[in-house]
Amino acid sequence: MDLMIKGRVALITGADGGMGFAVAKLLAEEGVKLVLADKKLDEANARRGELPQDTILVQADLTKQGDADAIVAEAIRQFGKLDIAVHTAGITGAKGDPLELSDADYEEAWQTDFMSAVRVARAAIPEMKKGRWGRFVCITSENAVQPYWEEATYNVAKAGVAAFAKGLSYRLAADGILVNTVAPAFIETAMTDEMMEKRAKERGTSKDEAIQSFLEEERPGIVQKRRGRVDEVAAAVALLVSERASFINGANLRVDGGSVQAVQN
């Protein structure tokens, strides 16, 4: 299906991670010009041959507004416009008893997971307004609506991103800009690899056994009994940034295999 976005220009943050790079590859197939940003770009540079030659890679620390501004400025310098921003950058943050986690623990997740989305929006959306067309998509998480006890810093930050995006959606549609979120759960990434390797070590099992026990004990809603794939997340993002999604605004699209066991988002 033609997503009708050939020639559009997209900024993707967190592009060195599995989800961000998968989004980049899929949008490239649709003829989108790419500006990829991350704090480190080791993986993206190693796989640069999989992307169009005019793809721009920019190192950026999104805890700084100046870096967010700089990557948007680079998009304008190279391609003359910015139509799409996909914000995937984030960390899991500190874990543990919510009342024992420090102010610094909460602040780290808040600055990296929540305020980074605000900074990217501040930089990107004014450029989209100039063209009277835009798409802003943030990756949240199942944690935004189904919080887990030991992941309070991540829960709060991702819930904040969801609320921020919903709030933006009310006014920006009048400027031709649609704002949505995608909420993955237990996707096959370096982040969940690390979680499962730790679980395997603690239990004295293999990684595959750790994954299956986690699904049975912690994520019973995922009846397919597997982790999701980054390309499955990328497909949802690609739809939302496309012209085909021209009447989807302020929505949260779950890509969680049914992990969230509720009707509402």
Side-chain angles (χ1 to χ4, degrees):
M1 180 172 65
D2 181 6
L3 296 181
M4 303 168 65
I5 50 175
K6 185 177 181 179
R8 295 291 186 185
V9 177
L11 164 64
I12 303 171
T13 71
D16 207 50
M19 287 187 203
F21 196 83
V23 171
K25 287 189 66 176
L26 190 50
L27 294 188
E29 291 174 11
E30 295 294 323
V32 174
K33 305 291 186 180
L34 300 172
V35 178
L36 308 186
D38 209 322
K39 204 168 182 178
K40 295 181 179 179
L41 290 164
D42 299 340
E43 185 69 17
N45 275 311
R47 299 178 65 186
R48 190 170 188 146
E50 300 175 41
L51 299 169
Q53 288 188 345
D54 62 358
T55 298
I56 306 301
L57 275 62
V58 185
Q59 277 192 285
D61 178 356
L62 295 177
T63 64
K64 303 173 183 177
Q65 184 66 54
D67 280 24
D69 295 340
I71 54 179
V72 171
E74 185 65 13
I76 303 307
R77 189 178 75 83
Q78 294 287 342
F79 300 119
K81 63 176 182 173
L82 181 67
D83 305 299
I84 296 164
V86 180
H87 182 57
T88 79
I91 59 170
T92 55
K95 296 182 181 182
D97 186 324
L99 302 181
E100 294 181 0
L101 293 167
S102 69
D103 287 8
D105 291 333
Y106 282 98
E107 187 64 21
E108 179 191 29
W110 189 254
Q111 288 296 326
T112 306
D113 291 341
F114 175 74
M115 283 305 302
S116 62
V118 176
R119 294 182 187 107
V120 171
R122 285 174 181 153
I125 286 172
E127 295 299 328
M128 296 178 193
K129 284 184 177 181
K130 293 176 183 178
R132 302 290 300 172
W133 193 97
R135 301 287 189 268
F136 183 50
V137 173
C138 292
I139 299 295
T140 58
S141 169
E142 61 174 329
N143 293 56
V145 296
Q146 182 167 276
Y148 296 99
W149 179 84
E150 74 283 5
E151 299 176 10
T153 63
Y154 190 68
N155 298 339
V156 172
K158 288 299 186 178
V161 173
F164 175 67
K166 184 66 173 178
L168 288 181
S169 73
Y170 292 128
R171 292 294 181 89
L172 292 178
D175 296 303
I177 301 166
L178 305 182
V179 183
N180 295 287
T181 57
V182 172
F186 204 43
I187 306 300
E188 190 174 347
T189 62
M191 184 184 295
T192 60
D193 279 344
E194 184 178 344
M195 288 171 55
M196 293 302 103
E197 286 162 5
K198 180 180 178 183
R199 184 182 181 91
K201 185 175 180 180
E202 289 172 348
R203 296 190 169 205
T205 65
S206 69
K207 181 179 169 183
D208 286 343
E209 289 171 326
I211 291 170
Q212 288 307 308
S213 68
F214 184 83
L215 287 163
E216 293 290 342
E217 298 168 19
E218 306 291 342
R219 298 295 186 273
I222 303 180
V223 297
Q224 291 163 289
K225 301 304 177 190
R226 67 171 176 86
R227 288 189 291 176
R229 302 190 309 272
V230 291
D231 64 285
E232 291 171 318
V233 180
V237 173
L239 171 63
L240 289 177
V241 303
S242 77
E243 188 60 42
R244 299 290 186 181
S246 56
F247 203 58
I248 302 177
N249 189 39
N252 177 49
L253 179 52
R254 295 178 188 164
V255 186
D256 68 358
S259 183
V260 174
Q261 295 180 288
V263 174
Q264 295 180 333
N265 282 328

